[in-house]
Structures are given as structure tokens and as C-alpha cells.
Amino acid sequence: MEHKNSHSESYAAAGVDIVAGYRAVELMKKHIARTKNEGCLDDVGGFGGCFGLNLAGYEEPVLVSGTDGVGTKLKFAMILDKHDTIGIDAVAMCVNDVICCGAKPLFFLDYIACGKNVPERIAEIVSGVAEGCVQSGSALIGGETAEHPGMMAEDDYDIAGFSVGIVDKKKMIDNKKMASGDVVIALASTGVHSNGFSLVRKVFDVEHNPDLTKPCEELGGASIAETLLTPTRIYVKSMLALFEEVTVKGVSHITGGGFYENIPRSIPDGLGAKIDQSAIRVLPIFDLIAKTGNIPQRDMFNTFNMGVGMSVVVAKEDVEKSLEILRAHGEDAYVIGEIIESEDKVILQ
């Protein structure tokens, strides 16, 4: 799409370069093309993203939506001047929520606000969004980039996203089927993912810490900054494979609020998850956060995922089959607890 006649000297003088916006769109098109699936109807650039729904095989199709941002994890992208993975986080935070209902993500839209539109950087951010869409099987059908001069510093930006998925009503995850004796399976995280970064920044004194980019022995030689920038794992394809073969009774995406806020969201009244804390494979970055910030264990489990990005509840007889399927699709999956009769939704022992 060409915009030869579109240029406003007055708008540019106010801090908004609309030509840079068009340039950014042109640079990101090759990344967007990677995400196209059978539902895509047009190219990016119109007023609305269009997606054709194929409802064959659905008796009662239900659309499931999710929206989220990346939060202050963006500070670490800025510290390292590395912007090609933060978009994966934006997608992950949405599609990992959608999959908790049993829905298959269909398409995604992003929104990027920036102090100054640098086309190459915007395209770099969108390359990460595209990668997240590929990992989740979503089409990137649209988005928006907005310059906010005077509200944001030139080098600052923020990103948020919106995902829509589909599931047959009869196949939605129904936690009413959950019963005492069911088993809780953990799917390992890749790190802090995209939550708790306000506390992380305080612990590591991000604004005044010259050691953030230096090799850290506790992290196997990686720096704190690059470890924290590790993108959020996307669990969509492995979970869809699991749904095909096993009756899953509950799924929790472990995000902000950690174990104590997220696991209860998938458990019905009268039942609780008894978690064997010694079984949790806590990643080194969490030990470093707790040690550096002198943070109590309870607070750690109430803020971070602690190495568990998603939890899944299945019947005891389905455990081995579930682990086999999840591991075959690249997940580090293992048992961390069981469902018991309890008024407390989470019991860490």
C-alpha cells in the first residue's frame, strides 16, 4: 500500500511522523505473512482485521477472548536494546489464557504505543508478535501503532494484545468433573515469564544496577537482564494435543499472583490442590530473586510462577498418558500434587 501524498509537516512538528508509520507497516509485512492461516481474508492495512470462521464440526461454537500486556518486563528489552522477543510475551499472555478454557486460538491483534515511531524497532517488536502467533497457530490479522509524543519518552513503548479462540461448548474445560484424588501436573516455565516485574525491578535496583548485563554465576553465566527477558512459553499446541486424547478437568495459567491466585481459578468449591512444594523444580532465577530481595517463600509463591507456567488437573488413571503426550510435544511435565476435599484452594506442603 503506497502513501505518496500522505505527509503533514504540521503533524510532524507536533511529534507524530505518519510516514514513519507507513514505513513500519511495510517492514512488518514479511513477519505478518508467516502467521497466515486458512481464516485470513485480507492483508493488513484496512480498518478492521477480517477472519473467516470455518464452523464445520462444531455443534455449539463458543468464541473465547483474552487480552493482556507485557508490563514492566519491557524495561529489560530496553536495557539490552533487544526487541524481537517481547512480542512473544504479548501473544503468550493472551493465548495461554484462552487455552485454559479448551479453546483453539484463531487470530491475534496487537497495539503498540511509543514515544517516537522508529520503523525498524517497531518491525522488530512485531517480528516477536509474529513468532508468538506461529507458535500458537494464530493469524496476526491487524494491529495499531500509535505515537504519543509528550506522554512517553522517545525511546519508550508499550505493547498489548488481543486473542480470539474457538471451542465447541461441549468440549469446554468443566471443573465440575473434578474430584478428590485427581492429580495436578505442572508444565515448566521458561522463567519469570511476564509477571511480577515491578518487584523484580525493585529487588535488582534496575535503574542503578551496573551488573544487570554482566555474567551471573548463579544463572550459569547468563546475565540477570537476558535471563529475565527470556520469552514466556506458549503452551497452546501441547495442550490442544492433550485435549484430543484426555479429559482435562482444570487448567491454570500461572501468571501474576502466582500459585495462590491462579490455581484456585480452576478448582470448584469444596476442593483444593495439595501441592508438594519439594516436587516443584524451582528455577535459579527465583532463588536469586528471593535471596537478593530477602523475600519470604510465601510471597514468592504468591507473586511468581516459580518454574510452573501452567498446571493441569486430570484423573489419576490418565496421568501417565497425559505426561507422555505433553512430553512428546516438548513440555517438561511432571506431577506436583493432588486434589483433596478442602475449603482452602491451595495447600503448599
Side-chain angles (χ1 to χ4, degrees):
M1 185 183 294
E2 295 187 359
H3 303 274
K4 293 181 179 178
N5 297 321
S6 181
H7 178 67
S8 169
E9 293 290 346
S10 299
Y11 210 6
V16 178
D17 187 346
I18 55 178
V19 176
Y22 301 141
R23 169 69 177 154
V25 171
E26 290 303 313
L27 290 175
M28 68 177 71
K29 281 184 176 180
K30 64 180 180 181
H31 303 299
I32 296 169
R34 296 179 57 214
T35 75
K36 285 195 173 183
N37 60 28
E38 68 279 358
C40 294
L41 296 181
D42 56 12
D43 292 326
V44 170
F47 287 97
C50 300
F51 190 90
L53 272 179
N54 180 359
L55 298 180
Y58 291 91
E59 293 180 12
E60 285 188 86
V62 175
L63 294 179
V64 179
S65 60
T67 186
D68 208 340
V70 176
T72 57
K73 181 174 184 173
L74 288 166
K75 281 290 184 183
F76 293 91
M78 296 171 191
I79 287 169
L80 292 171
D81 193 23
K82 179 176 169 54
H83 311 281
D84 62 345
T85 63
I86 207 73
I88 300 175
D89 293 284
V91 176
M93 296 308 294
C94 299
V95 298
N96 283 346
D97 280 354
V98 166
I99 200 69
C100 289
C101 298
K104 173 186 177 182
L106 296 173
F107 59 83
F108 188 82
L109 293 92
D110 61 12
Y111 174 82
I112 302 169
C114 56
K116 179 177 176 62
N117 188 334
V118 180
E120 292 75 15
R121 186 174 61 185
I122 297 298
E124 191 177 354
I125 296 166
V126 173
S127 74
V129 175
E131 175 57 28
C133 286
V134 169
Q135 289 183 25
S136 63
S138 305
L140 179 55
I141 64 169
E144 175 70 12
T145 302
E147 276 187 293
H148 290 168
M151 285 187 65
M152 303 175 75
E154 284 195 357
D155 289 336
D156 280 353
Y157 67 89
D158 195 9
I159 180 171
F162 175 80
S163 174
V164 172
I166 189 169
V167 61
D168 210 335
K169 189 174 182 180
K170 66 182 179 182
K171 294 184 177 180
M172 294 181 72
I173 303 300
D174 182 8
N175 69 6
K176 294 183 182 66
K177 297 177 181 178
M178 201 177 295
S180 179
D182 288 341
V183 175
V184 184
I185 294 174
L187 278 64
S189 71
T190 50
V192 182
H193 282 184
S194 301
N195 302 100
F197 273 84
S198 293
L199 178 55
V200 167
R201 286 168 46 235
K202 179 176 184 291
V203 166
F204 292 121
D205 190 19
V206 168
E207 309 298 335
H208 312 97
N209 190 342
D211 296 327
L212 286 176
T213 58
K214 296 178 181 178
C216 177
E217 185 178 345
E218 291 98 324
L219 301 177
S223 72
I224 293 172
E226 67 180 302
T227 299
L228 291 169
L229 191 57
T230 302
T232 305
R233 184 163 181 81
I234 292 175
Y235 300 98
V236 169
K237 293 182 179 178
S238 56
M239 290 302 297
L240 288 175
L242 184 65
F243 297 152
E244 285 293 316
E245 299 191 51
V246 173
T247 298
V248 175
K249 301 184 180 185
V251 183
S252 291
H253 182 200
I254 313 299
T255 54
F259 280 54
Y260 287 102
E261 285 192 24
N262 292 289
I263 291 179
R265 295 166 70 178
S266 66
I267 299 177
D269 290 343
L271 296 177
K274 185 172 75 172
I275 305 296
D276 178 2
Q277 198 165 308
S278 66
I280 297 170
R281 300 170 187 173
V282 178
L283 297 173
I285 184 62
F286 296 111
D287 291 330
L288 184 61
I289 292 170
K291 175 185 172 183
T292 305
N294 193 27
I295 301 173
Q297 192 174 71
R298 176 65 164 72
D299 288 358
M300 290 295 294
F301 276 91
N302 206 164
T303 306
F304 302 108
N305 68 61
M306 299 303 286
V308 179
M310 188 160 280
S311 68
V312 180
V313 177
V314 299
K316 186 176 293 185
E317 59 268 25
D318 289 329
V319 171
E320 290 308 315
K321 185 176 183 180
S322 299
L323 292 174
E324 181 180 334
I325 293 167
L326 291 167
R327 289 167 181 168
H329 285 79
E331 302 298 346
D332 178 9
Y334 58 97
V335 173
I336 58 170
E338 65 176 333
I339 299 299
I340 62 171
E341 293 182 7
S342 173
E343 292 305 315
D344 294 325
K345 290 295 185 69
V346 179
I347 306 100
L348 263 71
Q349 295 184 336

